[in-house]
Amino acid sequence: MDLNLNRRSFLRGTGAVTAAAVGAASGLRLLTPAEQALAAPGGVVKLDILYIGAHPDDEASTLGALGQWNEYQGVRTGVITITRGEGGGNAVGLEEGPPLGLLREAEERRAVAYAGIEHIYNLDGLDFYYTASAPLSEQIWGHDSTLGRIVRVVRATRPSVIVTMNPSATDGNHGNHQQAAKLAVEAYYAAADPSRFPEHADEGFAPHRVGRILQSGAVGSGPLGPNGPTTGYTPSVPTDVVFGTWDGTVSERHGGERWSVVKTWAAREYITQGWGNRAFPPDDPARISSQWFTLIDTRTPYPEPTSGDLAAIHGAAVQAPGGLPLGTEFYLEAPGFHVLPGTTFELVAHARAGARRPVPGAVVDVKVPDGWTITGSGRLGTLAPGRATAARFAVTVPADAVIGERFTLHGTLSTPRHGSGTVGEVVEVGAPVRGTLEPLPEIEQFRTWTAANGVEHLNSLILPLLALGSGLSREVRVDLTNTGERPQSGTVTLSAPDGFSVSPASQDYQDLAPGGTGAVTFTVTNTDTSLPTSNRAPDDGRYPIEITTTYDGGSGTQAAALLLVPALSLVKATTPPRVSGDVDESEFPGEIIDISTLWEGTEAPAEDISGHAKITYTDDAFYVYVNVTDDTLGFVLPPEDTKRQRRTDSVEINIDPRGTSANTSTVFIAGIFPITDDPANGNPPSFHRDRDNRQGPGPETAPGMEVAASVSDPYTGYTLVAKIPFDVLPDTLDPEHVGFNILVNDSDTQDKSTQTRIGWSTWRGVRADPYRWAVVSLPDLPAQPATPVEPVLPDTAALSVDSPQSILQSAGDNVPLGGWRSLGDRSIEIQDASAADGVVTARLRARRGGLARVFVWDGTTVLGRQDVDVSAGRHSVTVPLTETGSGGSARWVLVSLESGEANDAAAHRL
C-alpha cells in the first residue's frame, strides 16, 4: 500500500492511509477517525487537554487520571515537552546529548500510549543539566521563542484544559519544571490575546481561550482509597482548590488491571532514567492513592472539588451535570490580589456563551465573607456566543480585617433553563505598609513574575529564607513597600529564636510615600553554636523569625526563617597531603566532618551508608579526604561512562568560590567514582564535572585536579582523596566565605540508580542550591578581587527535524515540528519512493527551498538518512540503507524540510 502523507492532505483524504494502518506499521498513530471529524478546517487535531512539562517522563504521575478520562469519557490529551531530556542520565547505554534525547522521546511515546495519548510535541529546548533555577532555564531556553512555540501548539490544538507542573520556586523544585510551568501559565493568557504572537494567524492558528489551567499535584494531605476524591484534599493553603482522581479505577482497555498498575507499566518505559524496575502500587484498594490537581486559574465554572473523579475537568473538557453548557465562560476578577482594610474595590464577573448557542436569563450572585459588604446588580440577560459581558460589584473590606488572611469570593452564574456554575476569586487582606525579608534572587524573580501575570496566590507556599553559618553573623535586609494612598511612618522589628541575636532590636522608617519603597537592615548572629545545622534541626532546618512592621493605625507581620548551615575555619596544611589510595587522614589537619545525614532517598543504618571527611588547603589547592562506610557496591561503570554520579556509588564535592552564586552555573562540582570497570589499568577512580560552570570529563575540564581511592576487599566501603587546584575554580576565592559541600550517593543495586543520599550540609535538592551549602573560611589565604569565568553550557539539543517519530506525527496532525513556524501546506511532498539493492530512492516535490532531511525508518530504527539542500521543484534523493533494523515489513520514508525557523513534514510508506 502506498501512503503519501503531508499536512492537511491526510485529513483531506488525498493520502490513502488509515489511522489503524499507521498504528500497525509504526507503533504510532496519526489522527483517529473521531479526531478527523473533530479537526479544524485546516486539518489540525483538536485536543481536550494539553499537558505542558519540561522533560519526557514529567507527565508520568498524571497518566492514571489522563488514561481513565480517555477510556471512559473519550477525553483526548496531548503533551508538550519543552526538552527531550538529553541532559539527563542513561541507565541502559552510553548515549548522551541528542541521541539520548531521541531515545527518551521514544520512551515517552511508548509510556503515554498506555493512557491513549498519541500527540507529543517536543519543543527542541536544551536540557542542559539539573538546576533549581527557573531564571537560568529561561536564559538558556529563551523566553519569547519558547513561549511563542507553546502558544502556537495551544492555538493549533485548541485544548479546553492545560495541566502543568509546579511553577513555584519552592525548595528543591527543579528549575526546568518551574520554568515550564511558568511558561504554561503565560501561554494560558497569551494564547487568548490576539495582540500576542499575531503572526500565528497567518499560519491559520487563531487565538484560543483555554478554559482552565491546573497544576499536577498539591501541597497538603489527601486520603487514600476510592473515596479520596469525594472525601477531599486538605491543602496547606486553605483557599487552594484541589481536585482528585483515584488511580485505582479498573481499566477494561487494559484487561481489568487498575489504572495504578497501568500507570506503573507506563513509568517502566522510561528505562534510561532507571525506572525499568519501578515498584508496583499496593493491591489493597484502600491503600491506592489519587492524583491531585490544584487549580491555577479558570475561565470556566467548576464543581465542588469533592464531586468525584471528573471534578478537575467538569465544566471545561466534560459537561458538568446540571452545569452551564460546555464552552460557557464565567470568572471573577478583582483589581489586585491584596485588598486593604476599610477600602472598597470593584469586583467584575465576566461571562460569555460558547460558540454554538445563546444562554438567556443569566444572573450572577456573589457571596462575600462575613462582615464584608457587596452592592451591584448581577443581571446579565442573554449571553451571546463568543461575546463577553460583565456584571460589576462594589466590595467593601471591613476596617478590622486581619492582615494576611485570605478569602475566597464565590460567584454563581444561574440561568433558568441552562444550568448554573460557580467560580471563586481569592484575595488577601494586605497592610498599607508591607515589611518583607530580602528575597533570594530566584524568589525575587518569581514574585515579580506572579505580580506581572496576576497569579500572586502562587507565592503562598514560599517561606522567605536566608542562610546563616553556624556561629557567624550576617546582615538581614527588610524591604518596605507602601501600598496605601498616603505617606506612612513606623517601626520594623525582627525577632529571632533563642540562640540568635538581632541588632538593633528595631528600626524606624519615616515618611514612606504612597507606592514608595525603602529598606532597613539588621545584623543577625548565631550565638549558640550547639544548635543543629541543616536538616538535622527541627522543621527541616528552619529557625523561625518574624518581621513586624507598624504603620499609622496598625501593624502587619511576615513569617520567615533562617537556615543554619555548617561553618568551618580550615587549617592550612604545612605539608600537602599525598594524593594516594593509602593516604592517612592524619595528613589532613583540622576538624572531622560528619557527612552521614540523609538528604534524599531511603533512610539507612550507618553500616549501610555513612561517612566522614576532612578538608585542608595550601596556597594553591584544596585537599579533600572522604571515608565512606558502605555495605554493598553499586554498579561499577566503565571509564567512558563515569558521569551523572547519582547513578551509582560516588562522592560529590561542591565549591562556590565566593559564596554568592544564585545557581550552579558559577560553581565547581566534581563527581568522583571510587572505582571503574577498567581492569587493564587497575580499576582506578574517575571524576567528572557535572551541572556546573564547565561540565565534562575531569582531566579536560579540571586540568591539574587529582583523585585517588582505595576500595576495601571484602567490600565495606572506600576512601578517596582529591586535590582541587584553585585555578580550576570558576572564580577567585573569598577567604572569609566559600560555599562548600560534600555529598555521597549510595547504590545497593546494579541498575544504575541510587537509593540513599547523605552529606554534610543537607536539604532536599541542596545540590542545586549553593546558598544552602556550608561556609568555609581560609584564614591564611590573602583576599583577591573577583575574576568570574563565563559558564560553558551545553548547546546541542535534540531537534524535531531529526526525529522520525516527530516527523511522522507532524505529517498527519498539522502541528509544525518543534512548535516552530509552519512553511505552509504541502511545502514538501514525497511523490514516490522505491527500494532496491540496499538503497531507497525518494522522489520529492518542494514548493520552497531549504534543508531536507530524508529518513528511512522502520518504526524503531533509522535504516538510512540523507540530508540534501533543495530548491523549489522536483528532486530525486537516494538513501543508502546502513542499518538492518528490526526486520519488520513496515518501513517509512520520512522527510522534514527546514528553512530558517520554519518547517514542514511528509511521510510515505514503502
Side-chain angles (χ1 to χ4, degrees), residues 3 50 165 213 241 247 260 271 306 340 389 409 461 471 491 509 550 585 622 624 679 694 723 753 771 790 832 885 893:
L3 306 178
L50 187 62
M165 311 187 79
I213 181 167
V241 177
D247 277 341
S260 54
I271 56 174
T306 55
L340 299 181
T389 187
L409 311 177
L461 296 175
T491 300
Y509 67 94
T550 67
E585 64 183 89
F622 283 113
V624 184
R694 186 186 175 194
K723 174 188 174 182
S753 66
Y771 84 96
E790 191 70 20
D832 190 19
V893 177

Side-chain angles (χ1 to χ4, degrees), residues 459-476:
N459 195 32
S460 58
L461 296 175
I462 303 176
L463 180 70
L465 302 171
L466 289 178
L468 173 63
S470 178
L472 302 180
S473 299
R474 69 164 293 162
E475 288 192 346
V476 174

Side-chain angles (χ1 to χ4, degrees), residues 420-752:
S420 63
T422 299
V423 294
E425 174 80 346
V426 176
V427 294
E428 180 176 283
V429 179
V433 177
R434 295 204 302 268
T436 56
L437 185 71
E438 64 175 285
L440 297 164
E442 313 277 307
I443 304 301
E444 182 174 29
Q445 193 262 12
F446 180 72
R447 287 180 182 168
T448 301
W449 176 85
T450 63
N453 289 278
V455 288
E456 289 171 284
H457 63 285
L458 296 177
N459 195 32
S460 58
L461 296 175
I462 303 176
L463 180 70
L465 302 171
L466 289 178
L468 173 63
S470 178
L472 302 180
S473 299
R474 69 164 293 162
E475 288 192 346
V476 174
R477 190 185 75 241
V478 175
D479 296 326
L480 301 170
T481 304
N482 185 345
T483 61
E485 298 179 350
R486 57 190 176 87
Q488 291 281 354
S489 300
T491 300
V492 181
T493 303
L494 192 155
S495 59
D498 292 343
F500 298 85
S501 66
V502 180
S503 178
S506 62
Q507 295 267 50
D508 295 334
Y509 67 94
Q510 298 290 330
D511 299 322
L512 187 64
T517 59
V520 295
T521 302
F522 302 86
T523 298
V524 179
T525 303
N526 170 229
T527 55
D528 182 358
T529 57
S530 69
L531 291 177
T533 61
S534 307
N535 64 346
R536 293 175 283 273
D539 192 25
D540 196 34
R542 298 175 176 182
Y543 287 93
I545 59 176
E546 187 174 76
I547 297 167
T548 302
T549 304
T550 67
Y551 47 85
D552 185 15
S555 66
T557 62
Q558 184 196 45
L562 295 173
L563 302 180
L564 194 61
V565 301
L568 181 62
S569 179
L570 301 183
V571 178
K572 188 176 182 181
T574 55
T575 302
R578 293 175 299 123
V579 183
S580 171
D582 64 351
V583 71
D584 190 276
E585 64 183 89
S586 64
E587 298 181 38
F588 292 76
E591 296 181 27
I592 293 176
I593 302 167
D594 182 1
I595 56 171
S596 300
T597 304
L598 179 74
W599 60 282
E600 280 185 349
T602 306
E603 186 79 55
E607 61 271 18
D608 184 329
I609 185 65
S610 58
H612 66 271
K614 299 185 79 173
I615 308 170
T616 187
Y617 70 101
T618 61
D619 289 333
D620 60 1
F622 283 113
Y623 290 81
V624 184
Y625 170 86
V626 180
N627 186 309
V628 175
T629 298
D630 183 20
D631 64 346
T632 304
L633 182 63
F635 189 89
V636 179
L637 296 165
E640 64 271 21
D641 196 25
T642 49
K643 52 185 180 288
R644 309 293 187 267
Q645 60 269 16
R646 283 167 62 91
R647 297 181 298 155
T648 192
D649 294 311
S650 62
V651 171
E652 300 181 18
I653 298 175
N654 306 259
I655 303 173
D656 179 4
R658 305 193 70 82
T660 57
S661 292
N663 58 66
T664 62
S665 69
T666 52
V667 307
F668 173 92
I669 299 177
I672 305 175
F673 300 85
I675 185 173
T676 59
D677 184 8
D678 186 13
N681 292 298
N683 299 327
S686 180
F687 72 100
H688 79 137
R689 292 178 63 177
D690 184 31
R691 66 180 191 280
D692 72 346
N693 186 257
R694 186 186 175 194
Q695 297 186 102
E700 298 175 15
T701 59
M705 179 173 168
E706 302 174 34
V707 299
S710 175
V711 177
S712 64
D713 186 12
Y715 185 75
T716 57
Y718 56 90
T719 61
L720 59 83
V721 61
K723 174 188 174 182
I724 304 172
F726 295 158
D727 62 11
V728 304
L729 302 177
D731 205 341
T732 57
L733 296 173
D734 176 355
E736 296 184 356
H737 191 143
V738 175
F740 211 109
N741 215 349
I742 300 173
L743 304 171
V744 180
N745 300 295
D746 177 43
S747 175
D748 290 337
T749 67
Q750 299 298 303
D751 62 1
K752 298 184 185 178

Side-chain angles (χ1 to χ4, degrees), residues 39-345:
V44 183
V45 62
K46 169 66 176 75
L47 300 175
D48 298 301
I49 298 174
L50 187 62
Y51 181 94
I52 301 177
H55 317 101
D57 74 34
D58 285 347
E59 72 288 325
S61 67
T62 66
L63 294 181
L66 299 176
Q68 59 184 284
W69 294 341
N70 173 260
E71 180 174 5
Y72 295 115
Q73 278 73 43
V75 169
R76 298 170 300 281
T77 298
V79 176
I80 287 179
T81 305
I82 293 178
T83 81
R84 282 178 171 79
E86 61 275 315
N90 186 350
V92 296
L94 298 178
E95 296 90 351
E96 60 181 340
L100 174 59
L102 296 177
L103 286 178
R104 294 194 65 184
E105 178 188 349
E107 291 174 352
E108 182 177 32
R109 290 181 181 277
R110 292 195 300 269
V112 301
Y114 285 93
I117 298 172
E118 301 164 346
H119 301 277
I120 307 295
Y121 306 102
N122 299 100
L123 298 193
D124 300 350
L126 177 66
D127 183 32
F128 48 101
Y129 53 66
Y130 171 76
T131 180
S133 173
L136 182 62
S137 305
E138 179 180 53
Q139 172 191 330
I140 291 174
W141 291 348
H143 176 272
D144 291 353
S145 172
T146 307
L147 176 61
R149 282 178 281 138
I150 294 174
V151 170
R152 182 179 279 110
V153 176
V154 170
R155 288 172 171 172
T157 59
R158 298 169 298 131
S160 302
V161 176
I162 287 175
V163 180
T164 190
M165 311 187 79
N166 180 6
S168 297
T170 49
D171 295 348
N173 191 11
H174 197 307
N176 288 177
H177 297 171
Q178 294 175 45
Q179 185 60 20
K182 289 169 64 180
L183 288 166
V185 171
E186 292 184 53
Y188 173 80
Y189 302 114
D193 185 350
S195 69
R196 302 294 304 276
F197 308 105
E199 66 274 14
H200 293 175
D202 296 335
E203 304 170 48
F205 304 136
H208 173 68
R209 298 173 66 83
V210 180
R212 190 173 301 163
I213 181 167
L214 303 168
Q215 174 192 319
S216 171
V219 178
S221 60
L224 300 175
N227 296 325
T230 52
T231 300
Y233 193 90
T234 303
S236 297
V237 178
T239 53
D240 280 355
V241 177
V242 181
F243 309 99
T245 301
W246 188 49
D247 277 341
T249 300
V250 171
S251 171
E252 296 177 5
R253 177 189 295 165
H254 293 288
E257 288 286 2
R258 297 186 185 276
W259 270 103
S260 54
V261 173
V262 178
K263 185 168 81 168
T264 307
W265 290 344
R268 286 183 164 212
E269 295 290 348
Y270 302 107
I271 56 174
T272 61
Q273 302 311 293
W275 293 14
N277 293 319
R278 173 160 288 200
F280 282 98
D283 294 329
D284 181 1
R287 296 175 58 207
I288 297 176
S289 63
S290 295
Q291 175 65 46
W292 304 102
F293 298 91
T294 304
L295 183 67
I296 294 177
D297 201 358
T298 187
R299 296 185 175 100
T300 53
Y302 52 85
E304 282 293 324
T306 55
S307 62
D309 288 319
L310 295 176
I313 57 174
H314 261 154
V318 175
Q319 176 67 44
L324 294 162
L326 201 61
T328 304
E329 287 191 12
F330 175 49
Y331 58 97
L332 303 180
E333 184 180 26
F337 180 63
H338 290 101
V339 295
L340 299 181
T343 63
T344 298
F345 65 91

Side-chain angles (χ1 to χ4, degrees), residues 866-903:
Q866 193 71 265
D867 295 357
V868 293
D869 288 311
V870 298
S871 57
R874 289 179 169 80
H875 304 269
S876 179
V877 179
T878 299
V879 183
L881 300 182
T882 58
E883 301 288 339
T884 57
S886 62
S889 58
R891 292 191 299 175
W892 291 83
V893 177
L894 305 169
V895 181
S896 66
L897 178 65
E898 183 181 31
S899 178
E901 291 189 343
N903 61 65

